[in-house]
Amino acid sequence: GEDVEQSLFLSVREGDSSVINCTYTDSSSTYLYWYKQEPGAGLQLLTYIFSNMDMKQDQRLTVLLNKKDKHLSLRIADTQTGDSAIYFCAEIVKTSYDKVIFGPGTSLSVIP
Amino acid sequence: NAGVMQNPRHLVRRRGQEARLRCSPMKGHSHVYWYRQLPEEGLKFMVYLQKENIIDESGMPKERFSAEFPKEGPSILRIQQVVRGDSAAYFCASSSGTREHEQFFGPGTRLTVL
């Protein structure tokens, strides 16, 4: 199937680290993405990782990729209240074109 | 350097009316995607279009829904004879031909059917 799975909710205290997990289905996916959706807004591309990488770091964000287990995670260090949002994981599935499949989204709540 | 634009941002329709949602992709982008997000649910793919062509409409209901992306002008998602279950946020995304899977999203149109 084409289901990308994520836990639906995560709650952390301000200043702690957040880890959002995702499992995907297509082992040939060339890119894996993380999108952020703030309340009332569209999705914003947050970061992505090539499938030949294990890790990518970008300021407070760390993406880890375990291809064997088809597991992707997003770690947000020093989580702030402004990080409260829905985070979507996405993979590429080869059809007649490179189709992006989104997960259901993880709603992150940051407690002051 | 405008991003993806959608209008209207909010649309209210009565049951049985038609809803027209517009999407102007980013400059230089010729690929458009429509998604629907129901309250408290994830993002559901509806349709993928390139200029004047529908590439993948596998996520679009067979009845009442149609989409187009003409040579000139914005992409239009049209919902005929709306029902309450059509109430949702509809997002458009665009991409270029060289990085077609890197999608840039618009702010969405929130459709409310009374």
Side-chain angles (χ1 to χ4, degrees):
Chain A
E2 296 181 347
D3 286 344
V4 176
E5 296 184 351
Q6 301 177 239
S7 52
L8 297 183
F9 301 99
L10 177 66
S11 185
V12 299
R13 293 205 174 275
E14 190 174 16
D16 287 351
S17 290
S18 309
V19 179
I20 303 170
N21 295 301
C22 167
T23 55
Y24 61 97
T25 58
D26 190 342
S27 57
S28 64
S29 190
T30 49
Y31 295 86
L32 293 139
Y33 295 87
W34 284 104
Y35 282 82
K36 176 183 181 183
Q37 184 183 29
E38 295 183 354
L43 277 69
Q44 171 193 359
L45 179 61
L46 201 55
T47 187
Y48 63 90
I49 187 168
F50 293 106
S51 59
N52 62 358
M53 298 170 67
D54 297 324
M55 185 182 85
K56 179 179 179 181
Q57 187 147 4
D58 184 1
Q59 299 182 337
R60 292 191 297 121
L61 304 178
T62 303
V63 179
L64 295 178
L65 175 60
N66 181 330
K67 283 191 72 175
K68 175 176 169 289
D69 295 337
K70 296 181 202 167
H71 183 265
L72 183 73
S73 68
L74 174 70
R75 179 176 180 268
I76 305 172
D78 186 25
T79 312
Q80 303 297 307
T81 54
D83 295 324
S84 292
I86 302 175
Y87 291 81
F88 292 89
C89 164
E91 66 167 342
I92 294 175
V93 171
K94 277 285 183 187
T95 60
S96 56
Y97 64 100
D98 286 343
K99 186 170 185 175
V100 180
I101 304 295
F102 288 89
T106 298
S107 179
L108 173 65
S109 297
V110 181
I111 305 163
Chain B
N1 186 18
V4 178
M5 298 174 68
Q6 290 187 249
N7 68 80
R9 292 294 309 277
H10 299 273
L11 182 61
V12 179
R13 285 288 177 266
R14 296 193 179 278
R15 279 180 297 168
Q17 290 184 320
E18 178 180 287
R20 277 185 181 242
L21 288 63
R22 291 174 187 76
C23 169
S24 296
M26 279 182 72
K27 188 175 179 181
H29 285 188
S30 57
H31 300 216
V32 166
Y33 312 80
W34 285 94
Y35 296 88
R36 177 164 65 176
Q37 187 175 36
L38 290 163
E40 307 302 322
E41 290 192 18
L43 209 61
K44 299 297 182 189
F45 167 79
M46 297 182 75
V47 62
Y48 163 37
L49 309 104
Q50 294 179 21
K51 279 289 185 183
E52 298 186 279
N53 290 305
I54 295 175
I55 306 301
D56 180 359
E57 56 182 349
S58 60
M60 200 149 71
K62 294 283 187 286
E63 296 179 357
R64 302 189 299 109
F65 285 73
S66 62
E68 62 177 13
F69 188 17
K71 189 176 178 181
E72 302 290 337
S75 175
I76 306 285
L77 179 67
R78 184 179 174 214
I79 312 172
Q80 295 178 288
Q81 299 171 348
V82 296
V83 301
R84 288 223 174 97
D86 296 333
S87 295
Y90 291 83
F91 291 97
C92 166
S94 73
S95 66
S96 70
T98 51
R99 292 176 67 86
E100 61 180 357
H101 39 75
E102 193 169 323
Q103 298 182 16
F104 295 83
F105 280 77
T109 293
R110 277 150 185 83
L111 173 65
T112 302
V113 180
L114 301 177

